[in-house]
Amino acid sequence: MDALTIKMLDVNEGDCFLIHVGTPSIHIMVDSGPTSTWTERVYPLLKRLDNEGVTIDLLIITHIDADHIGGALNFFPKKDLSVICIREVWFNGLFQIIGTSEVPSDAAEQQFLSAAIPYMETETGTTDISFRQSTTLSERLHERPDIWNSHFKGGPIIGTFRPVKLADTLSIVPILPTSVALSNLVKSYERQLRNHKINAIIKNSPAMQDAFERYYKSYEEPFIETQDILSDSCFDIETLATATTPLDQSISNAASIVFILKAGDRSVLFMGDAPSQEAIPALQNWSKKTGAPLYFDAIKMPHHGSKQNCMDLLNYVDSPIYLIPTDGKKFNHPSIETVAKIISRPTTETRHVIFNYPHVVYQRFNDTGLMEKYHYTLEVAGEISFN
């Protein structure tokens, strides 16, 4: 079996993975972290790979949240001076969701959209913004339609369950989003415009595409975890593992691209930030259609281990390896309830929980007594290899 390696990059609160599958050598990047981590964390790795003649065969941007898409603009700088060659990008923008031919923008449309959804200071150094100043990934990819969702003929990526073959022993199975979740993105965008007294018809124009992506990229996390994890009185594993928690209601997270990476006889579930109420029925349907169990060689947990997304999901899926990327600083992720539920379920094997930062949750569960009792290990690692 070909070797499978997954690098979990240190990109603060965000997601960024580099996957390498053996012969033939295939490289896949999943998400790009926030803009703030590009220069010191992502660029040096890509520059080294470029010097080694490596190509990124596929870049998957799971959804428009800033901590997943922020660095992606840097893959396509102006004048096509890309840091590394990318053969294909999977990303659902307004262009794919609407599915109509592009129409031009006019000055009035640009003006009212810029007022309703302002440009962020980090996106541009000038107030004289043209339609194609490339402040969003959609705008950059318009210059490369040949690589944008090309396996889907330029259309949206939705959970069809049909494997997309990248090599003889390598495929990706899209599980989510649903077409309804993508449609809800557009409806929310419409409501945002109406809140600004703009009754514009949503159309596939450059200004509309740009404002759509800016809106979701700048959307602030509505839920911040609350947890007093240093208090022993709050740290009963069984109580935490059975806690009732609210569900993630984020429209953007519900539109996450969720997929199963199948490399030889290995399978890894990448959850983006998908809410459990979206993920569970989709995964059950896939399992019913294929006869495959909801057991994976590794699971990239949704939404950085938030209890809103993970607690119900963990009633249905399992794995010996759980990947939870985040530095834990911005939204108090991951939740202690999530980790408690991962480790406390009955098992005959050892579960491995892997973080990319030694945050306070890691420190609290990094306890020899707990590990012996619940049969788990904890690790801070940047790379996971399957041979």
Side-chain angles (χ1 to χ4, degrees), residues 232-251:
D232 286 335
S233 63
C234 299
F235 204 73
D236 178 83
I237 298 297
E238 281 71 25
T239 300
L240 290 169
T242 56
T244 301
T245 61
L247 297 176
D248 180 7
Q249 302 296 332
S250 167
I251 294 172

Side-chain angles (χ1 to χ4, degrees), residues 352-369:
H352 307 278
V353 185
I354 303 177
F355 303 109
N356 58 345
Y357 286 90
H359 43 57
V360 67
V361 175
Y362 163 79
Q363 295 168 16
R364 189 62 180 86
F365 282 91
N366 189 26
D367 181 285
T368 302

Side-chain angles (χ1 to χ4, degrees), residues 5-38:
T5 301
I6 302 174
K7 288 184 180 294
M8 187 162 55
L9 277 65
D10 296 342
V11 288
N12 296 351
E13 76 276 10
D15 273 15
C16 185
F17 291 85
L18 181 65
I19 302 163
H20 178 227
V21 181
T23 308
S25 185
I26 303 289
H27 289 83
I28 302 167
M29 181 163 273
V30 182
D31 290 325
S32 59
T35 304
S36 59
T37 61
W38 170 263

Side-chain angles (χ1 to χ4, degrees), residues 56-195:
I56 299 296
D57 296 278
L58 176 61
L59 168 65
I60 302 175
I61 300 298
T62 59
H63 60 302
I64 307 178
D65 284 0
D67 60 335
H68 293 255
I69 194 177
L73 285 179
N74 296 286
F75 283 101
F76 306 99
K78 295 178 183 179
K79 300 182 181 179
D80 201 29
L81 298 175
S82 180
V83 65
I84 194 167
C85 178
I86 296 178
R87 296 189 186 278
E88 183 172 4
V89 180
W90 289 6
F91 169 63
N92 288 326
L94 185 65
F95 182 83
Q96 281 76 28
I97 300 170
I98 291 182
T100 59
S101 299
E102 184 174 287
V103 296
S105 297
D106 56 32
E109 181 184 47
Q110 181 197 17
Q111 184 175 12
F112 67 65
L113 287 175
S114 297
I117 306 170
Y119 289 83
M120 291 183 282
E121 291 182 4
T122 56
E123 292 180 321
T124 178
T126 175
T127 56
D128 182 18
I129 300 168
S130 66
F131 292 145
R132 286 288 181 218
Q133 196 163 351
S134 296
T135 63
T136 63
L137 181 57
S138 293
E139 289 189 308
R140 300 282 172 96
L141 287 174
H142 268 86
E143 299 174 7
R144 296 296 312 277
D146 56 311
I147 70 170
W148 194 2
N149 291 8
S150 56
H151 267 100
F152 303 84
K153 299 180 180 180
I157 297 165
I158 58 175
T160 61
F161 308 154
R162 292 192 293 269
V164 176
K165 193 172 182 178
L166 301 183
D168 286 342
T169 59
L170 177 64
S171 62
I172 293 178
V173 183
I175 301 298
L176 286 173
T178 64
S179 56
V180 172
L182 293 179
S183 176
N184 286 340
L185 281 179
V186 178
K187 292 177 182 177
S188 177
Y189 179 47
E190 284 183 303
R191 287 194 295 270
Q192 172 71 5
L193 297 182
R194 291 195 186 107
N195 288 341

Side-chain angles (χ1 to χ4, degrees), residues 237-238 343-345 347 369-376:
I237 298 297
E238 281 71 25
I343 67 171
S344 65
R345 290 172 297 163
T347 182
L370 289 176
M371 290 182 187
E372 291 177 353
K373 179 178 180 179
Y374 293 104
H375 306 289
Y376 73 95

